Amino acid sequence: MEKCKYFSTFARTMKKLTTMIAAVLLLAACGQTYEETKRISRQQRREAQRRDSAALKVAVMPTLDCLPLFVAQELALLDTVHGGVRLKMYHAQMDCDTAVERGRVEGVVTDLVRAGRMERQGVKLRYVAATNAGWQLVANRNARLRQTKQLVDKMVAMTRHSATDLLTDLVRDSAGVKPERVFKVQINDLGVRMQMLQNNEMDALWMPEPLATEARVMKHGVLADTRTLDVRLGVMAFRDKEMARRERQQQLQLLVKAYDRACDTINKYGVAHFRKILTERYKMKPALVDSLPGDTRYEHCTQPRQQDVERARQWLDQLDRKGGTNGNQ
């Protein structure tokens, strides 16, 4: 009997000891896995950072002037670029420009006014392509505006120190309206701008495509169009310091070839052919795609027209004299 008790106690003790040893081994194994996971995670982060650093990064927006880049990516035309090309999507032009200024991206699709201002603030840029960026001054249908001279005491949504700021001055002065009688309201995010139009919170708004098409389909009128004004302020630019590096020069050359091929493809098949990109990247409603202008054309990478560069320069000079280009606004 005593022996049975002894063996029973011994068995329970050994079972507890075995359980404890198993638990210790399990904890040790878990600890090793955790350390292993951390090590692998650090390696993955370093590799991701290396790839991101090697890639040519371009800040873009859901506007039609960026379509050749999206098409080039969709058709794998950018795969030939050593290190790859990464398109960084933003919804406000100022966010794109801030990414360039802070070195988060090497290139940007912007306008000559914003680019000229960045250069005046010390960010030297290389203009690679004039884009077909265009803007329409959309009048809220409830504001009952038919002509630009009716903008007296009206609010106009735009972005400060940008093409739309310049364009507001241009149409206002052409209509003979005094500067103080038009209220320029800074609304940077294009999505917010569209919401304000839908909610009747603004009298007039500068809209790029495809938002301009959406506004027209909603029966809002158009007071001005850069195509009829013969103003072409869109540009794709890259940080000159980065592009001075040999590997970046090679990447840029390959990007230009891919961009040109994408332009040819769009011109051949039409903008609406790329319905998938427009609905996924631009968040367009499928029914609106066929309403886009059918005459939209894209040119190969060429320098901006001198008259447009000069127009932007003169407007910025005027702003400088007023002390209006100081600060990141």
Side-chain angles (χ1 to χ4, degrees):
M1 197 62 134
E2 288 294 330
K3 286 184 178 181
C4 289
K5 286 185 178 180
Y6 172 78
F7 283 117
S8 176
T9 303
F10 178 77
R12 287 197 299 270
T13 303
M14 289 302 295
K15 185 177 180 180
K16 289 181 180 179
L17 184 59
T18 302
T19 303
M20 290 175 63
I21 292 172
V24 170
L25 290 174
L26 180 61
L27 287 172
C30 289
Q32 187 177 15
T33 303
Y34 176 68
E35 290 299 326
E36 185 77 5
T37 302
K38 284 204 303 183
R39 183 176 63 80
I40 293 172
S41 180
R42 285 196 297 268
Q43 289 177 343
Q44 290 174 337
R45 284 198 301 270
R46 284 197 294 267
E47 179 61 20
Q49 290 170 354
R50 186 195 66 77
R51 289 197 301 266
D52 191 65
S53 178
L56 188 65
K57 298 172 289 297
V58 185
V60 296
M61 292 179 63
T63 51
L64 281 193
D65 53 328
C66 295
L67 185 60
L69 290 170
F70 291 125
V71 170
Q73 187 178 62
E74 183 73 15
L75 299 180
L77 300 177
L78 299 178
D79 291 352
T80 61
V81 179
H82 306 309
V85 175
R86 298 196 177 177
L87 303 181
K88 304 281 189 177
M89 179 73 87
Y90 296 91
H91 294 274
Q93 192 59 63
M94 286 188 173
D95 293 337
C96 287
D97 299 340
T98 298
V100 176
E101 292 169 341
R102 298 184 180 178
R104 296 172 186 161
V105 297
E106 288 73 49
V108 61
V109 179
T110 184
D111 64 66
L112 290 170
V113 178
R114 293 295 302 172
R117 184 168 179 268
M118 281 191 282
E119 291 207 280
R120 293 180 185 218
Q121 294 180 331
V123 182
K124 187 170 177 54
L125 297 173
R126 181 180 302 185
Y127 295 167
V128 172
T131 70
N132 70 344
W135 294 265
Q136 292 184 353
L137 183 57
V138 175
N140 188 317
R141 62 188 180 189
N142 294 322
R144 302 180 184 278
L145 301 175
R146 298 292 181 269
Q147 302 177 48
T148 51
K149 65 181 181 181
Q150 295 176 308
L151 287 172
V152 175
D153 296 335
K154 301 298 182 182
M155 295 185 295
V156 178
M158 37 63 75
T159 297
R160 290 187 66 193
H161 307 155
S162 76
T164 53
D165 199 352
L166 179 155
L167 290 168
T168 304
D169 288 354
L170 178 63
V171 299
R172 180 201 65 202
D173 295 344
S174 298
V177 179
K178 294 181 179 180
E180 64 272 16
R181 299 302 300 275
V182 176
F183 303 109
K184 295 192 287 187
V185 182
Q186 178 163 300
I187 309 295
N188 298 326
D189 190 290
L190 294 179
V192 173
R193 208 175 289 184
M194 176 55 75
Q195 289 176 3
M196 296 186 79
L197 176 63
Q198 294 170 335
N199 295 333
N200 300 315
E201 297 173 332
M202 198 64 55
D203 299 307
L205 313 90
W206 285 105
M207 292 291 200
E209 291 289 2
L211 290 183
T213 290
E214 184 175 352
R216 293 194 305 273
V217 170
M218 293 163 58
K219 306 301 181 183
H220 297 287
V222 176
L223 298 178
D225 189 330
T226 52
R227 291 176 297 181
T228 56
L229 293 172
D230 191 28
V231 178
R232 304 177 190 175
L233 297 173
V235 68
M236 180 167 62
F238 287 79
R239 290 175 63 96
D240 192 65
K241 184 178 180 180
E242 279 289 323
M243 294 306 107
R245 296 166 50 192
R246 189 179 67 175
E247 58 271 27
R248 291 299 192 198
Q249 290 177 7
Q250 294 173 341
Q251 287 178 318
L252 186 58
Q253 290 172 358
L254 293 171
L255 174 64
V256 167
K257 290 181 180 179
Y259 182 94
D260 290 349
R261 287 181 60 189
C263 288
D264 292 339
T265 304
I266 300 171
N267 293 338
K268 179 178 179 180
Y269 295 104
V271 172
H273 177 78
F274 299 96
R275 188 176 303 271
K276 178 183 176 184
I277 295 176
L278 294 168
T279 54
E280 292 181 359
R281 298 290 189 94
Y282 290 75
K283 307 303 180 185
M284 280 193 75
K285 297 175 182 177
L288 289 175
V289 173
D290 292 324
S291 299
L292 290 168
D295 59 349
T296 303
R297 304 287 294 176
Y298 292 87
E299 296 181 358
H300 286 187
C301 289
T302 55
Q303 288 295 300
R305 300 185 307 178
Q306 190 56 40
Q307 66 193 71
D308 296 309
V309 175
E310 185 63 17
R311 185 191 292 273
R313 185 192 66 78
Q314 291 178 357
W315 188 84
L316 286 169
D317 286 346
Q318 184 180 30
L319 200 64
D320 280 339
R321 287 193 290 271
K322 295 177 181 179
T325 59
N326 296 323
N328 186 24
Q329 300 182 30

